[in-house]
Amino acid sequence: MNKRLLGIPLLCASAALTLTACGSGGSSGSDGGNVTLKLVAADYGDKASNSSKGYWDGVAAAFTSAHPDIKVDVQVINWNDIDSQVKTMIQSGSVPDVLQTGGYADKVADDLLYKAEDVLSTATRANLIATFADAGKVKDTQYGIPFVSSARAFFYNKALFQQAGIAQPPTTWDELKADAEKIRAKVPGVTPYALPLGPEEAQGESMIWELGNGGGHTDRSGAYTLDSPANVETFSWLKANLVQPGLTYANPATTDRKTAFADFAAGKTAMLNGHPSLISMSTEGKVDYGVAPIPGKAGPLKSTLGVADWTMAFKKNGHAAQIKAFLDFAYSKENTLKFVETYNLMPVTQDTLKEMSTGGKHKDLEPFFSLLPGAAFYPLGDTAWDKVSAELKKGIGSAVADDPAKVLGDLQKKARPAGPHARKAPSCPSSQLPHKAGGPAGARPAAPWPPGSARCRGSARPSC
């Protein structure tokens, strides 16, 4: 999910970079029959006490105990720096064997990665949730191995609904509009629906609404269809039914997701699309919230937006057999369950999903469990998605203020030469189905974490 990095000099410019990027010269080498794998992973913790290094050190120690001839050198890097440091590692030749971070497609484009089938057993591959495994594919070959996931659902404030005389959450756009009108009339001072189309996450909120009308950023082949008739109709509806009547923010194009989440957690807005981290925010804010399927034009979405972070294996050091042994161990239910429970994330493996959805310990996440198998994704396997996503962040919000057809048409003109399937979008509405396979999701954001990633604990994350 995210792409890519500005050019970084081949030389390590400081002692810190020397240690992190240039220093592990022998970490992937062999000592007789022994092999040391170099693992680089992102840090999902927000302080030293819950750093992911503790988790990975434990996995590495347990693995080496079972495989004494394979050691694992663990390096955990914060989300702000991991992309740039990995870029430097690759440029300096100190390539990790295994990398866990936000995206993979640029590595595929540079022919750096093993295919998933080369470094995962058949059983481990079969245990991955199919939609997430498919999202790790580039041209029908899987390279990205999903690590953790998230999905979107509809959040509503039960207390505000009760004050407005609303018994049930809406299931269609028209019901959402009617509920918003009741909230404005009965609960003044509250934003009825939070529509964040600002640069932090416009590519996500816009795709959710597009999916609700049978549209999406791409068609089945992966070609960009930003100005499809379905998408134009979607933004025309938002403009006429939510923005112009004053049922949402005055200027959605400048409103970011973190603002919408903070407003909901403070009881200042009644409805919005959110992910699991909003649960803890709402609980801390003492908001009596409900979670339901996202309303679509004619009914609830059958396929909501899904996001994931990824693991990948590099070919340079040639340790396919050892990597396979380690990844099979790391993707066991015991290890994956521990990680997602530690960081309140969603699983990507079927056995862990079953454990979490039937064990009774995760009642708050139950509305999200059923969404994972049918999730739809950004065009993750397209290395041009970064550029397209950046344009969406800058411009798609204006489609609810200006002429939607013109705004989306201008975005399509910019996307067409960038995408690998460069061609005019078909006009047939039946072709506007969500693209579910692919790789990285999101352009380099100003916020610390890559768009489309699942690490959603911090409100600044652009696109969990």
Side-chain angles (χ1 to χ4, degrees):
M1 42 237 348
N2 33 298
K3 249 66 284 186
R4 261 22 200 220
L5 317 153
L6 302 173
I8 295 177
L10 256 135
L11 288 184
C12 295
S14 69
L17 276 178
T18 301
L19 289 173
T20 57
C22 298
S24 305
S27 66
S28 293
S30 301
D31 181 11
N34 296 329
V35 167
T36 298
L37 299 177
K38 178 177 180 178
L39 165 69
V40 175
D43 194 351
Y44 289 71
D46 53 11
K47 50 186 175 293
S49 61
N50 69 352
S51 170
S52 299
K53 189 166 193 317
Y55 169 81
W56 283 115
D57 283 345
V59 171
F63 173 75
T64 298
S65 178
H67 301 80
D69 57 336
I70 310 175
K71 294 180 174 57
V72 182
D73 174 23
V74 174
Q75 182 178 358
V76 172
I77 305 173
N78 67 65
W79 280 105
N80 297 43
D81 300 328
I82 188 167
D83 281 350
S84 61
Q85 291 199 21
V86 169
K87 182 73 170 180
T88 302
M89 292 177 195
I90 293 171
Q91 290 178 333
S92 66
S94 182
V95 178
D97 294 285
V98 177
L99 171 65
Q100 185 279 303
T101 187
Y104 62 85
D106 60 322
K107 317 294 191 307
V108 178
D110 292 336
D111 194 27
L112 299 176
L113 303 182
Y114 281 114
K115 299 175 184 177
E117 65 186 41
D118 294 333
V119 290
L120 292 178
S121 67
T122 300
T124 299
R125 282 189 288 129
N127 190 36
L128 296 172
I129 296 172
T131 50
F132 285 88
D134 287 345
K137 291 180 179 178
V138 176
K139 295 182 179 178
D140 297 323
T141 299
Q142 185 184 353
Y143 296 91
I145 305 165
F147 179 65
V148 288
S149 67
S150 183
R152 297 299 176 81
F154 182 78
F155 281 73
Y156 62 100
N157 185 312
K158 291 182 178 181
L160 297 179
F161 267 47
Q162 185 176 18
Q163 291 179 56
I166 304 169
Q168 301 291 336
T171 61
T172 67
W173 291 355
D174 287 343
E175 290 177 4
L176 187 152
K177 177 188 177 184
D179 290 345
E181 289 173 336
K182 291 177 183 177
I183 290 165
R184 181 177 61 181
K186 299 289 185 64
V187 195
V190 167
T191 301
Y193 181 84
L195 181 66
L197 290 172
E200 180 188 327
E201 137 125 320
Q203 83 288 354
E205 182 75 12
S206 61
M207 181 169 165
I208 292 170
W209 282 93
E210 290 166 359
L211 291 173
N213 195 26
H217 293 332
T218 62
D219 64 14
R220 285 176 171 175
S221 75
Y224 288 104
T225 55
L226 303 178
D227 63 346
S228 69
N231 290 349
V232 172
E233 181 183 39
T234 294
F235 283 91
S236 298
W237 188 94
L238 287 170
K239 178 181 178 179
N241 292 277
L242 290 185
V243 179
Q244 289 180 337
L247 299 175
T248 185
Y249 295 116
N251 191 354
T254 61
T255 305
D256 285 336
R257 188 194 65 188
K258 67 178 181 180
T259 298
F261 276 28
D263 284 350
F264 186 84
K268 296 179 180 179
T269 191
M271 300 178 279
L272 80 171
N273 298 321
H275 54 63
S277 74
L278 189 53
I279 292 173
S280 58
M281 292 178 65
S282 302
T283 301
E284 291 170 5
K286 296 181 170 46
V287 170
D288 185 13
Y289 69 91
V291 181
I294 294 174
K297 181 181 179 184
L301 267 64
K302 292 183 172 64
S303 183
T304 188
L305 176 64
V307 294
D309 290 338
W310 303 91
T311 304
M312 63 216 75
F314 287 79
K315 297 188 292 185
K316 182 177 185 295
N317 301 315
H319 297 145
Q322 292 85 358
I323 293 171
K324 179 183 285 189
F326 175 71
L327 289 178
D328 283 345
F329 182 85
Y331 275 80
S332 68
K333 184 173 73 171
E334 176 184 4
N335 289 321
T336 57
L337 182 63
K338 180 178 180 180
F339 193 90
V340 294
E341 287 186 333
T342 298
Y343 296 106
N344 196 34
L345 291 165
M346 304 289 283
V348 296
T349 52
Q350 297 183 51
D351 56 0
T352 302
L353 176 59
K354 182 177 180 181
E355 175 76 16
M356 294 181 72
S357 58
T358 60
K361 291 174 57 181
H362 303 282
K363 292 290 186 182
D364 58 343
L365 293 175
E366 285 182 0
F368 291 90
F369 291 139
S370 61
L371 300 175
L372 295 181
F377 295 84
Y378 302 123
L380 304 177
D382 177 16
T383 54
W385 168 240
D386 271 1
K387 296 178 181 178
V388 175
S389 177
E391 293 297 335
L392 291 176
K393 289 179 177 185
K394 288 189 296 184
I396 202 166
S398 62
V400 296
D402 302 326
D403 177 10
K406 183 180 186 307
V407 171
L408 296 179
D410 290 344
L411 288 169
Q412 177 66 17
K413 290 175 184 176
K414 295 176 181 178
R416 190 178 298 124
H421 307 279
R423 63 174 176 80
K424 184 171 176 59
S427 59
C428 174
S430 65
S431 69
Q432 312 306 325
L433 296 178
H435 176 55
K436 292 189 178 182
R444 198 79 192 128
W449 303 293
S453 300
R455 192 275 190 190
C456 302
R457 294 168 63 85
S459 62
R461 188 62 176 255
S463 205
C464 340

